[in-house]
Each structure stands twice: as structure tokens, then as C-alpha cells.
């Protein structure tokens, strides 16, 4: 086993700083100078390019990934009295949008390996009230979609972590009724804020378009098809996203190299195990997440996180189970089953620093700090 360095990093290593530069600044400035501050030609160009990248017939740019999920569910008719099966191991937005539709989230358990939704658990929960299934492609690893599709209700995929992912030979974005992406500041394509919906269903695309802009124009007049939302993406943010698309492969290569460095390091650390990745799929390398087995690693996840912070290494937790949060503890349906794998993961998962903005030396500092902490605890 390699011996850990005894040198503590002098400056704090941010967990996931955005990888932006002069190109993003120039793109935003050009958009402002053009007079297009709201949705315009740059948003349309983003949609066009993403149709190609996501292998989808329709892509709509929205104000956030949360808005993308919300409007996709509404477009599929999700409303009061309905249930949507999803996972609790996710950011609360995934469940929030179900509640915003007036429906009830029903949480399936996750698989112990990749921590994605367990199709067997989802199958046991499916019933006459199930209007849709909302899987999450956690950390960039696609969920197992085929058995979920076989259950019958339409799928709305939460692909906030999965812009570059492929499920078997299919691009995430081309498989289900609707696939929703995030352009948030930490995402693989980071515009600061924003979201996308990809779909091959023209009716779903039209419904989302009606909901995002509130009106259809007819020359100098307009009509309102539905009481919609203000959920369109501005050209300023679209310009930043377009600059990010130009760097997509370069940023992916950097994250993949960081993954390899972490894989090599944690293989030597008993009780610190990376979340599984399926070699049949293309992973997006969005988050590098380990599980801290307190018995083998000598301390809990929270103790490791505090110790790494003392080493000037920033980390995060993805995620605390939604069903245990205050907003949801009293909202669970009467037939909500126990979620042992989800709750165990919620105690163990720890996300290590990962960004194209990080250098190889930054990742080396994180690895050496993790080794030092592990030596002390284990």
C-alpha cells in the first residue's frame, strides 16, 4: 500500500467549481449586445445542437432542470389523484415536481450496486393509480430502463447527471416519453441555471412548449392554449451552454482521468468502495461517489467528511433520502414500503471533488488526504 503524504493542502479545494473561461464570458457578452436577453436565436441553436447530441427528435430549453421535470409530467397528464413511482435517493426536486402536479410520489428502493431505482421494487409498487415512473440516472450511471419500460406507464427520466450517458446502445434522451436534463452550475454542461427536455413524441413536445411560454403568436396577435408557466431559457444562459458544448469532450476526458485516479486509490482503502458502474453503459462521469462502511473504514461517513474538511478537501453528500426529509415524512402514501437500501446508502455515500476545473495535482491532494484520514481511522 502506498504511504500517504503528511502534507496538508494549504488552500481549500472546492468540491465542484465550474469549469468556465473566456469563451463563456464572450458568449454571454455577445448575447447581451445583440439585444436578445430572453429566448432567441441562441436558445434555438442550443435546442438544435442538443437534438443531435441527445439523438432526440425534439429538445426544448427551459429555465431549470426542475422546470423540465415538472412540465414533462404535466405534458403526460399527471395530476391530482395520480401516483408517480420514483427513487428517494435523489435531490428533492425529483419528488417536489410530483407534488407540484398534485400527485403523490411513491418511493421504490434502490439497487445495492449502482444505487439506481430497483425495477423489482418499482414493479411491486405499480398499480392503477401509477401515472408515470420517474427514474434517476444517479451520478451519470443510467438506470436499468428496459424492465421499467415493460411496466407500462410512461417514463420521465431525471437525467440531470447524465448528459453524456448511453443505456446499452441508446443515448439517454432517445429512449423514453421524456428525458430531463439540468444546466445548473455544477452539471457537465453548466450554464448556471437552465434545463432541457428531450422527447421523440411531438405531442409531448407541443404540450411542453405551450406550458413554458404561455402563448402562441399569430402575427401581431396571440393565443393562450393552456394556463402555462414562465419557464423558457434566456439567450444569455443559452450562450454559456453553447460554449460548454464546445468543451464537452475535453471536459469529459478530464473527469474520466480523475475517475481513474480515484479508482486506483480507493482500491487500496478497506471500507471505502466506489459506487458500481455498469460496463454495458456509457457513464457520464458526473460525480465520483464512494460508500464509507463504518465498520471496515473505522469511522462513519460524517466523520470522514469532517476529517477531509480539516484537510482542506471539500466533499458533498448525494443524497440524503428524500422520504426522511421534513417536507416528506408526513406526506408518504399509506402503502409506502420500507427502503433499507436507500437508507443505508444515505448514511454511507460521500462525493469526492470532481470538476474539469480541477488539476491532476488537485485530485492527488484529495487522494492523499483520503489516505491520511483512512490511516488514522482504520
Amino acid at each position: 500500500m502506498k504511504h500517504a503524504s503528511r502534507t496538508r493542502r494549504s488552500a481549500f479545494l472546492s468540491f465542484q467549481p465550474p469549469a468556465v473561461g473566456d469563451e463563456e464570458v464572450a458568449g454571454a457578452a455577445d448575447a447581451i449586445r445583440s439585444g436578445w436577453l430572453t429566448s432567441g436565436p441562441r436558445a434555438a441553436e442550443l435546442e438544435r445542437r442538443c437534438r443531435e447530441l441527445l439523438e432526440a427528435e425534439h429538445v426544448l430549453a427551459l429555465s431549470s432542470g426542475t422546470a423540465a421535470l415538472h412540465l414533462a409530467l404535466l405534458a403526460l397528464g399527471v395530476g391530482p389523484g395520480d401516483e408517480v413511482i420514483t427513487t428517494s435517493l435523489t435531490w428533492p426536486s425529483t419528488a417536489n415536481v410530483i407534488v407540484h402536479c398534485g400527485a403523490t410520489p411513491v418511493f421504490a428502493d434502490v439497487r445495492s450496486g449502482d444505487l439506481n431505482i430497483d425495477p423489482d421494487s418499482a414493479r411491486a409498487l405499480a398499480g392503477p393509480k401509477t401515472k408515470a415512473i420517474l427514474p434517476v440516472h444517479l451520478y451519470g450511471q443510467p438506470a436499468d430502463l428496459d424492465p421499467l419500460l415493460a411496466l407500462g406507464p410512461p417514463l420521465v427520466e431525471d437525467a440531470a447527471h447524465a448528459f453524456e450517458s448511453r443505456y446499452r446502445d441508446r443515448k439517454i434522451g432517445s429512449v423514453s416519453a421524456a428525458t430531463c436534463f439540468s444546466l445548473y452550475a455544477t452539471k457537465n454542461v453548466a450554464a448556471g441555471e437552465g434545463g432541457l427536455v428531450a422527447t421523440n413524441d411531438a405531442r409531448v413536445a407541443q404540450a411542453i412548449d405551450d406550458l413554458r411560454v404561455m402563448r402562441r403568436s399569430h402575427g401581431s396577435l396571440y393565443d393562450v392554449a393552456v394556463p402555462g408557466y414562465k419557464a423558457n431559457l434566456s439567450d444569455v444562459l443559452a450562450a454559456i451552454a453553447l460554449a460548454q458544448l464546445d468543451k464537452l469532450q475535453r471536459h469529459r476526458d478530464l473527469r474520466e482521468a480523475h475517475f481513474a485516479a480515484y479508482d486506483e486509490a480507493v482500491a487500496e482503502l478497506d471500507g471505502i468502495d466506489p459506487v458500481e458502474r455498469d460496463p454495458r453503459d456509457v457513464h457520464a462521469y458526473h460525480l465520483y461517489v464512494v460508500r464509507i462502511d463504518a465498520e471496515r473504514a473505522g469511522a462513519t461517513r460524517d466523520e470522514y467528511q469532517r476529517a477531509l474538511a480539516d484537510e482542506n478537501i471539500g466533499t458533498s453528500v448525494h443524497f440524503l433520502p428524500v422520504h426522511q426529509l421534513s417536507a416528506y415524512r408526513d406526506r408518504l402514501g399509506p402503502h409506502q414500503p420500507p427502503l433499507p437500501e436507500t437508507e443505508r446508502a444515505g448514511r454511507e455515500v460521500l462525493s469526492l471533488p470532481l470538476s474539469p476545473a480541477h488539476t491532476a495535482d488537485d485530485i492527488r491532494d484529495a487522494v492523499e488526504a483520503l489516505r491520511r484520514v483512512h490511516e488514522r481511522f482504520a
Side-chain angles (χ1 to χ4, degrees):
M1 179 177 177
K2 298 176 183 177
H3 293 290
S5 164
R6 298 297 171 186
T7 304
R8 176 179 178 272
R9 183 182 170 94
S10 58
F12 187 78
L13 180 62
S14 295
F15 163 67
Q16 207 168 37
V20 294
D22 292 341
E23 299 87 351
E24 288 82 1
V25 172
D30 287 346
I32 293 169
R33 293 189 188 102
S34 76
W36 279 104
L37 299 185
T38 185
S39 302
R42 289 162 185 81
E45 175 66 7
L46 177 65
E47 293 175 337
R48 185 195 68 76
R49 288 184 62 180
C50 288
R51 286 197 298 272
E52 297 176 4
L53 287 166
L54 301 173
E55 300 175 9
E57 292 183 20
H58 308 275
V59 172
L60 297 99
L62 297 164
S63 56
S64 68
T66 302
L69 289 167
H70 183 203
L71 299 196
L73 290 176
L74 291 175
L76 290 169
V78 174
D82 294 330
E83 294 180 349
V84 177
I85 297 172
T86 190
T87 169
S88 177
L89 196 65
T90 182
W91 183 243
S93 290
T94 310
N96 291 351
V97 295
I98 300 170
V99 175
H100 295 163
C101 292
T104 300
V106 179
F107 298 111
D109 211 353
V110 297
R111 301 192 297 194
S112 61
D114 62 14
L115 302 184
N116 276 321
I117 190 170
D118 184 341
D120 292 334
S121 178
R123 183 180 301 108
L125 294 170
K129 292 185 177 181
T130 305
K131 189 74 171 183
I133 301 174
L134 207 171
V136 176
H137 303 306
L138 201 62
Y139 313 142
Q141 168 60 49
D144 196 358
L145 295 177
D146 285 335
L148 295 174
L149 288 165
L151 296 179
L155 264 57
V156 174
E157 302 170 45
D158 183 338
H161 296 178
F163 191 86
E164 297 136 290
S165 299
R166 296 187 82 91
Y167 173 68
R168 312 301 189 255
D169 61 343
R170 289 168 286 176
K171 186 73 180 66
I172 292 298
S174 68
V175 180
S176 300
T179 307
C180 303
F181 299 87
S182 173
L183 304 176
Y184 182 64
T186 60
K187 298 300 187 287
N188 290 13
V189 178
E193 299 287 351
L196 303 166
V197 179
T199 180
N200 292 326
D201 189 323
R203 290 172 299 178
V204 171
Q206 184 62 66
I208 293 171
D209 192 35
D210 288 339
L211 287 164
R212 70 171 171 171
V213 296
M214 287 199 254
R215 72 179 189 177
R216 298 178 186 174
S217 296
H218 301 290
S220 61
L221 302 176
Y222 64 87
D223 186 27
V224 174
V226 294
Y229 301 82
K230 197 70 175 73
N232 52 302
L233 184 71
S234 78
D235 255 28
V236 177
L237 295 179
I240 298 172
L242 287 167
Q244 289 273 292
L245 290 184
D246 293 337
K247 303 176 180 181
L248 195 62
Q249 187 59 50
R250 187 189 341 154
H251 284 179
R252 177 181 174 81
D253 291 344
L254 288 166
R255 292 195 312 273
E256 190 170 2
H258 297 342
F259 259 66
Y262 280 136
D263 279 345
E264 181 181 4
V266 300
E268 303 173 344
L269 304 178
D270 187 40
I272 302 180
D273 304 304
V275 172
E276 291 180 9
R277 307 191 291 276
D278 192 326
R280 296 174 297 174
D281 300 325
V282 174
H283 199 285
Y285 300 115
H286 176 60
L287 290 168
Y288 191 91
V289 179
V290 294
R291 301 182 70 166
I292 308 293
D293 182 327
E295 185 173 342
R296 292 162 49 221
T300 66
R301 183 271 313 283
D302 294 348
E303 290 170 320
Y304 265 85
Q305 186 173 38
R306 288 192 292 269
L308 287 168
D310 290 341
E311 294 276 349
N312 269 341
I313 303 298
T315 60
S316 191
V317 173
H318 295 89
F319 293 98
L320 299 177
V322 173
H323 73 279
Q324 295 182 323
L325 303 179
S326 297
Y328 284 91
R329 283 198 294 265
D330 298 328
R331 227 183 246 279
L332 301 179
H335 58 284
Q336 173 63 54
L339 304 171
E341 292 293 345
T342 299
E343 292 179 9
R344 179 185 166 205
R347 295 189 298 270
E348 293 183 351
V349 290
L350 182 67
S351 302
L352 301 180
L354 186 76
S355 168
H358 289 142
T359 66
D361 285 343
D362 290 331
I363 302 303
R364 191 175 302 113
D365 287 346
V367 163
E368 291 180 353
L370 184 61
R371 288 193 179 117
R372 287 194 295 272
V373 170
H374 184 267
E375 281 187 4
R376 293 201 299 271
F377 285 140

